[in-house]
Amino acid sequence: MKPPKVVFVCQECGAQAPKWMGRCADCGAWNSLVEERAASPDLAAGAAAGAGTNRYAQFATSGTSKLYAEVETSNAARLSSGIGEFDRVLGGGIVPGSLILLGGEPGIGKSTLLLQAAAHFARDIGPVLYASGEESEHQIKSRGDRLGVGPETPLYLLAETCIERILEEIARLKPALVIIDSVQTVFSIKFQSAPGSIGQVREAATQFLFAAKGQNIPTILVGHVTKDGALAGPKVLEHVVDTVLSFEGERHHSHRVVRAVKNRFGAVSELGVFEMTGTGLRAVANPSMLFLSERAAGTPGSAVLCCVEGSRPILVEVQALVSTSTYGNARRMAIGVDQSRLSLLLAVLEKRAGLSLAGDDVYVNIAGGMTVEEPAADLSVVAAVASSVRNRALAHKTAVFGEVGLSGEIRGIPQAPLRIREAVQMGFNRIVMPFANVEPDSAAQNDGCELVGVRTVGEALDNLIA
Ligand code: TYD
Ligand code: MG
């Protein structure tokens, strides 16, 4: 028998090399090549080509193409996970036969959320197989007891890390939903490399993809993220799966956010908000209320932003603290907003609004651990920083949104009516926003909410910090 073929695979980008190198020739990552061997050369060749010869047979009904009109429109009903916020992130529920990846840091609550979803799903739709490579059946059971999973629930637990054996169990049980916790702990007997290595993760993702599509069983994979926030087992996973959900939040805060990063069946950046309680995760129906709950009245350096995540408007508090720098280098720290965006906005404030920040440390934070990436947050950051510099608080019932350009102009942003409606519902009576977004007959004005359209940063600050 020929010795097994050895390849060195970059754990960052998946590139292969015949010998070890200190630096990946493809992506340039240092010390990322790891030896991987296939148990048998012919299986390795099949896997490396990404197309096991007969595995695609499960997918296709015939080898010939079909005319567009001949293909049946599948409006297969989505399956509800029984957790409204989770369904929302998925774009309205689980699509039959889809492969979903739920990524997040250890201890954030992935297993908890999926066990809750599994229990609901099992009760309402059909049997669920929960395969765990991290916990024993007893551990999962005791967690389930805590979450109030009843003994009559058709939920099958399997503590197993071998992919082939999990697939056998799927074939035997024919469950309505499969959960694999986690993709980094399972391994295929076809490879000798350790679980969690890129070859194993890729193999797991493809095998479960074929199982999901071939047998029309929706499958959820749990994935761990590395310390810099990327999903371990990098891009290969994201390409294979239909939907990538990211579970975020700070372990020290009770609330958690699930966000769609990629979704073949729905809008991305759709957001679900949960609260971790003693008995599992609880959906938060009104996130604005949660994020503003601890806001103190009359403090300088605080502004309320109406942001939109997916199709959902949320009010968050943007906080800034400007203090004299004690060291030579002024520090600029941003938590929840982009660091380079903050630098840009501070430069605009100095140049266009005449604020001097040269000798000051500037800290910006979104209260409650939320992250906002859209440019509509610009004006709220500017307002919070200016408010801290001048030590004057913004009016308590005033909200802001708008993009700030380099010449100090305030640019219009999408979905303004949605933001206005949310602010009005939360009892705000004044919104400082881009002039371009103000519609003369806006319904908000009738509700006693004043819309102040502004064109420049200077004008905005005049209206916010008189
Ligand atoms: P877990 O779902 O195990 O996280 P992950 O699978 O992402 O690693 O969640 C672990 C944390 O959640 C743990 O620190 C305890 C907390 N927790 C609660 O606060 N309440 C609960 O009901 C449960 C089950 C867990
Ligand atoms: Mg877990």
Side-chain angles (χ1 to χ4, degrees), residues 154-222:
L155 175 61
Y156 294 85
L157 306 180
L158 176 68
E160 179 59 74
T161 51
C162 175
I163 296 174
E164 283 75 12
R165 252 175 283 162
I166 298 175
L167 289 174
E168 273 169 26
E169 194 59 14
I170 295 175
R172 190 181 73 84
L173 275 177
K174 303 214 176 355
L177 175 72
V178 174
I179 293 170
I180 310 292
D181 189 1
S182 65
V183 70
Q184 275 96 2
T185 52
V186 294
F187 73 96
S188 163
I189 46 171
K190 289 184 206 154
F191 293 94
Q192 286 183 358
S193 49
S197 66
I198 198 164
Q200 290 286 11
V201 167
R202 181 170 39 201
E203 181 63 15
T206 9
Q207 292 257 23
F208 289 119
L209 176 77
F210 289 128
K213 305 282 174 199
Q215 301 170 49
N216 207 26
I217 302 172
T219 302
I220 305 179
L221 305 176
V222 172

Side-chain angles (χ1 to χ4, degrees), residues 263-351:
N263 195 352
R264 287 192 183 138
F265 312 114
V268 285
S269 75
E270 199 64 78
L271 193 89
V273 184
F274 296 92
E275 199 172 0
M276 182 63 99
T277 68
T279 51
L281 289 153
R282 199 175 55 79
V284 174
N286 188 344
S288 298
M289 190 117 83
L290 175 79
F291 287 117
L292 296 182
S293 59
E294 286 167 81
R295 187 171 157 244
T299 16
S302 156
V304 173
L305 160 71
C306 324
C307 60
V308 172
E309 296 286 344
S311 60
R312 159 185 264 182
I314 298 179
L315 300 186
V316 293
E317 182 190 2
V318 180
Q319 300 177 321
L321 182 67
V322 179
S323 68
T324 315
S325 180
T326 42
Y327 306 103
N329 272 345
R331 297 189 62 181
R332 270 86 221 265
M333 284 269 291
I335 301 170
V337 288
D338 184 47
Q339 183 89 28
S340 38
R341 194 86 200 160
L342 173 64
S343 307
L344 184 149
L345 294 172
L346 295 181
V348 172
L349 265 178
E350 294 213 48
K351 196 88 178 171

Side-chain angles (χ1 to χ4, degrees), residues 115 136-146 149 151 157:
L115 192 57
S136 71
E137 283 134 10
H138 293 291
Q139 285 170 318
I140 307 172
K141 176 93 195 296
S142 63
R143 184 201 299 261
D145 290 344
R146 215 170 130 185
V149 179
L157 306 180

Side-chain angles (χ1 to χ4, degrees), residues 110-111 134-135 143 181:
K110 302 180 293 297
S111 306
E134 305 195 337
E135 289 159 308
R143 184 201 299 261
D181 189 1

Side-chain angles (χ1 to χ4, degrees), residues 356-381:
S356 165
L357 298 161
D360 293 325
D361 292 340
V362 180
Y363 304 93
V364 172
N365 174 37
I366 304 221
M370 260 284 284
T371 305
V372 182
E373 279 167 4
E374 52 165 3
D378 290 356
L379 192 54
S380 63
V381 173

Side-chain angles (χ1 to χ4, degrees), residues 53-271:
T53 39
N54 56 358
R55 291 188 299 182
Y56 275 118
Q58 299 173 330
F59 252 133
T61 43
S62 69
T64 47
S65 55
K66 275 190 189 151
L67 191 66
Y68 182 76
E70 285 170 9
V71 179
E72 280 172 44
T73 310
S74 111
N75 39 12
R78 287 175 183 257
L79 309 168
S80 168
S81 67
I83 302 178
E85 288 292 290
F86 193 50
D87 287 347
R88 162 198 279 276
V89 190
L90 290 167
I94 300 173
V95 174
S98 62
L99 185 63
I100 299 161
L101 174 67
L102 176 69
E105 285 178 25
I108 198 88
K110 302 180 293 297
S111 306
T112 307
L113 175 66
L114 291 181
L115 192 57
Q116 283 180 274
H120 279 288
F121 200 93
R123 237 174 291 140
D124 301 344
I125 296 172
V128 176
L129 175 64
Y130 189 108
S132 176
E134 305 195 337
E135 289 159 308
S136 71
E137 283 134 10
H138 293 291
Q139 285 170 318
I140 307 172
K141 176 93 195 296
S142 63
R143 184 201 299 261
D145 290 344
R146 215 170 130 185
L147 300 174
V149 179
E152 70 295 339
T153 318
L155 175 61
Y156 294 85
L157 306 180
L158 176 68
E160 179 59 74
T161 51
C162 175
I163 296 174
E164 283 75 12
R165 252 175 283 162
I166 298 175
L167 289 174
E168 273 169 26
E169 194 59 14
I170 295 175
R172 190 181 73 84
L173 275 177
K174 303 214 176 355
L177 175 72
V178 174
I179 293 170
I180 310 292
D181 189 1
S182 65
V183 70
Q184 275 96 2
T185 52
V186 294
F187 73 96
S188 163
I189 46 171
K190 289 184 206 154
F191 293 94
Q192 286 183 358
S193 49
S197 66
I198 198 164
Q200 290 286 11
V201 167
R202 181 170 39 201
E203 181 63 15
T206 9
Q207 292 257 23
F208 289 119
L209 176 77
F210 289 128
K213 305 282 174 199
Q215 301 170 49
N216 207 26
I217 302 172
T219 302
I220 305 179
L221 305 176
V222 172
H224 291 292
V225 297
T226 53
K227 54 184 180 307
D228 51 3
L231 274 165
K235 293 292 170 198
V236 281
L237 266 181
E238 293 189 22
H239 290 310
V240 172
V241 301
D242 297 309
T243 304
V244 180
L245 305 180
S246 150
F247 205 145
E248 299 163 12
E250 285 184 52
R251 226 174 306 171
H252 309 292
H253 277 110
S254 66
H255 75 263
R256 303 278 186 273
V257 169
V258 180
R259 199 189 286 274
V261 182
K262 160 185 170 176
N263 195 352
R264 287 192 183 138
F265 312 114
V268 285
S269 75
E270 199 64 78
L271 193 89

